[in-house]
Amino acid sequence: MREQRGEKRLLKWVNWLCAIIFSVFSFTFTAVYQSPLVEVYYDKIATGKLEYNGYVVAAITTTLLLLLALWLNKYAKFQREWSAMAYIPSFLLLAFLTDIEPAIYTGGASVASWVWVFVIGILVYILMAFLLRNLLFAKIKDLQTEGHRIVWRNLLLFTLFFCIVGWLSNGEDNFKSEAAAYSHYKRGDVDAALNVASRSLNASHELTAARAFYLANAGEMGDRLFRYPQYFGAEGLLPALQQTSPLSPDTVYAALGYERLPDESALNYLRRVVDTDSVPSRMVADYYLCALLLDKRVTEFVEELPRFYDISNGESIPMHYKEALVYYVTAIGDFEITFESDSMRSELLIMGLLDWNYGEDIPEHYKEAFKDYALSSQQFGSIIDADSLGREFARMIELEKEYPQLHIRSNYIRKHFGHTYWWYFGYSD
């Protein structure tokens, strides 16, 4: 009698332990790890009518899945070392609910593969329940197994199920980053949205376009765009016409004021927008100017800048625009100095800040004359800080000469100047 009571207590304790482990994993997996994807799916279903609360959704999901496992186990009778097997259907449903992909926006999501997963999973569940209940349990019911062994065997099963759920659900980093960034932006936290995958080496086109839109809305595109990865040139400023990420293309193009033609490049679209608007908004202007910088059309950028910024009266301009101007005004083709063939620049700096030799030392007065000529002739002297930016640019050129190998130089310069337009112009593909 005492042994029977001890066995019942052990089985009850193991069942409670399994329920707690599953609940903790399900809640954490839904509310933390896959929360951005769940929110995307929730917004798609609720169409913005109800505010998303990740903890509430995770709690409801976990409760329903737990009740499902307990209800099914009334018939399956998994117990002892196999108690964790009772949660197979719930784990499969958890993986299915968090396997959210961009296809939810195009209607192309297919459940055919999931049908096979469920069929196989349920067959395994039924087969194991039959074998354990009718064969194995009948033989071991009188055997005494130490409690810690029962616990560890269930933990091993749970570990296996955790890995399977992670494998079956969507773990694609880019779409999760797009969803996470949009979630922060929706709540008004622009900095948090921008910091998502801010150093990623494979940031997606849609994440790059979304980040540009967040910067433009905050009025900071010209100051911060090149602090983040730019792998797509001007095309990376605008999303594809067909929605494949949480930020709808209609939102972006509505803000810019015009529809984009199917075969129209990003630069041509933005040029058409600024040419059509009699007085382009600052957002549109920044989109256009940054598109020119992204395509490395510095000369065209310099020619277009006065259309949108009153540089003749010394109007303050964004930092990246200043960097582009410093690059432009310090290049005079008649005074070339050849460095390595793959160097970022070979032109003489005219800022009067470097002590370079060109056959012989250039006298200080000559340097000052070059500096005055470059700044005054381009009429940019009043809007760029020649001392601070010029010195930084000169320091970068000096660092370039210390590293003759391109890949080493690129990495080292990126470490110190990766947030500038200079690095993008010189080293990005």
Side-chain angles (χ1 to χ4, degrees):
M1 181 68 70
R2 182 177 301 173
E3 292 178 353
Q4 290 179 348
R5 287 199 299 268
E7 178 73 7
K8 288 182 179 180
R9 284 198 300 270
L10 175 61
L11 294 179
K12 185 177 180 180
W13 187 82
V14 170
N15 289 335
W16 271 105
L17 179 63
C18 289
I20 292 172
I21 293 174
F22 172 81
S23 299
V24 170
F25 173 79
S26 175
F27 184 85
T28 305
F29 191 75
T30 308
V32 180
Y33 180 70
Q34 297 288 51
S35 179
L37 297 184
V38 176
E39 182 173 359
V40 162
Y41 194 54
Y42 180 89
D43 287 344
K44 180 70 175 177
I45 296 174
T47 62
K49 295 178 181 179
L50 295 174
E51 184 177 352
Y52 175 78
N53 187 311
Y55 297 114
V56 172
V57 172
I60 293 174
T61 302
T62 298
T63 301
L64 293 176
L65 294 177
L66 177 62
L67 293 176
L68 175 65
L70 297 177
W71 177 70
L72 290 176
N73 202 35
K74 288 184 178 181
Y75 306 98
K77 302 293 185 183
F78 287 110
Q79 55 185 297
R80 297 171 67 92
E81 296 95 329
W82 307 96
S83 298
M85 296 289 293
Y87 294 87
I88 288 180
S90 295
F91 275 121
L92 291 177
L93 284 173
L94 179 62
F96 174 72
L97 292 173
T98 54
D99 185 29
I100 301 164
E101 300 178 344
I104 64 172
Y105 297 110
T106 61
S110 174
V111 297
S113 58
W114 271 106
V115 171
W116 284 106
V117 171
F118 277 120
V119 169
I120 294 173
I122 297 303
L123 287 177
V124 170
Y125 178 84
I126 295 173
L127 179 61
M128 291 298 297
F130 176 81
L131 293 177
L132 292 174
R133 184 175 182 181
N134 294 282
L135 299 177
L136 186 58
F137 286 157
K139 295 181 179 180
I140 68 173
K141 65 180 181 180
D142 295 328
L143 296 178
Q144 297 298 318
T145 304
E146 295 181 6
H148 68 87
R149 291 188 178 181
I150 293 177
V151 171
W152 278 112
R153 290 172 184 175
N154 278 291
L155 289 178
L156 288 175
L157 282 174
F158 270 122
T159 301
L160 174 63
F161 296 152
F162 296 162
C163 294
I164 291 175
V165 170
W167 175 59
L168 291 176
S169 66
N170 186 8
E172 204 275 318
D173 289 337
N174 276 325
F175 187 58
K176 289 180 66 175
S177 296
E178 294 163 16
Y182 184 71
S183 176
H184 290 304
Y185 172 74
K186 207 171 53 169
R187 290 169 173 76
D189 193 346
V190 176
D191 286 334
L194 295 172
N195 285 332
V196 173
S198 61
R199 293 293 178 266
S200 174
L201 297 178
N202 63 341
S204 68
H205 176 274
E206 296 304 315
L207 177 60
T208 304
R211 187 183 289 125
F213 180 71
Y214 304 153
L215 283 169
N217 265 299
E220 298 182 350
M221 180 181 280
D223 285 306
R224 301 175 62 182
L225 181 66
F226 292 97
R227 297 184 186 181
Y228 305 99
Q230 302 294 331
Y231 304 128
F232 307 96
E235 294 297 328
L237 288 177
L238 300 175
L241 293 177
Q242 184 178 37
Q243 183 175 2
T244 58
S245 73
L247 179 63
S248 170
D250 293 340
T251 302
V252 177
Y253 294 115
L256 293 173
Y258 293 88
E259 293 184 4
R260 183 180 177 183
L261 302 178
D263 298 326
E264 194 173 26
S265 70
L267 184 56
N268 286 340
Y269 165 78
L270 292 170
R271 184 178 283 118
R272 176 167 63 87
V273 172
V274 297
D275 288 343
T276 304
D277 282 347
S278 56
V279 182
S281 67
R282 182 52 53 89
M283 174 188 285
V284 170
D286 285 338
Y287 259 101
Y288 175 54
L289 292 172
C290 285
L292 293 173
L293 293 182
L294 283 165
D295 278 359
K296 302 184 181 180
R297 299 169 179 256
V298 178
T299 300
E300 189 175 351
F301 164 82
V302 172
E303 294 171 352
E304 294 284 15
L305 182 65
R307 290 179 59 186
F308 313 105
Y309 287 86
D310 188 6
I311 60 176
S312 61
N313 291 328
E315 180 182 357
S316 177
I317 62 174
M319 179 58 67
H320 293 317
Y321 300 174
K322 293 180 182 180
E323 292 166 354
L325 291 177
V326 167
Y327 174 82
Y328 178 78
V329 302
T330 57
I332 295 181
D334 292 337
F335 295 94
E336 291 186 350
I337 294 180
T338 302
F339 302 130
E340 301 83 276
S341 60
D342 58 354
S343 177
M344 172 183 170
R345 291 170 38 83
S346 63
E347 294 87 356
L348 175 63
L349 291 184
I350 311 301
M351 303 303 291
L353 300 171
L354 296 180
D355 185 18
W356 258 324
N357 291 322
Y358 186 62
E360 61 181 3
D361 287 342
I362 298 177
E364 282 298 320
H365 293 307
Y366 291 2
K367 291 183 183 180
E368 290 298 325
F370 289 145
K371 171 185 173 182
D372 293 341
Y373 167 76
L375 292 179
S376 62
S377 64
Q378 303 301 336
Q379 298 181 353
F380 296 133
S382 61
I383 59 173
I384 61 176
D385 187 343
D387 288 335
S388 61
L389 279 181
R391 290 181 187 278
E392 283 297 295
F393 189 48
R395 186 167 70 90
M396 186 183 73
I397 300 300
E398 285 295 290
L399 288 176
E400 281 190 312
K401 296 191 293 182
E402 297 178 11
Y403 300 92
Q405 293 182 320
L406 177 60
H407 69 282
I408 295 177
R409 181 168 68 250
S410 175
N411 290 332
Y412 194 83
I413 298 300
R414 182 172 189 167
K415 178 180 178 181
H416 295 277
F417 296 94
H419 60 285
T420 67
Y421 179 67
W422 304 327
W423 186 91
Y424 175 84
F425 184 93
Y427 294 99
S428 66
D429 294 330

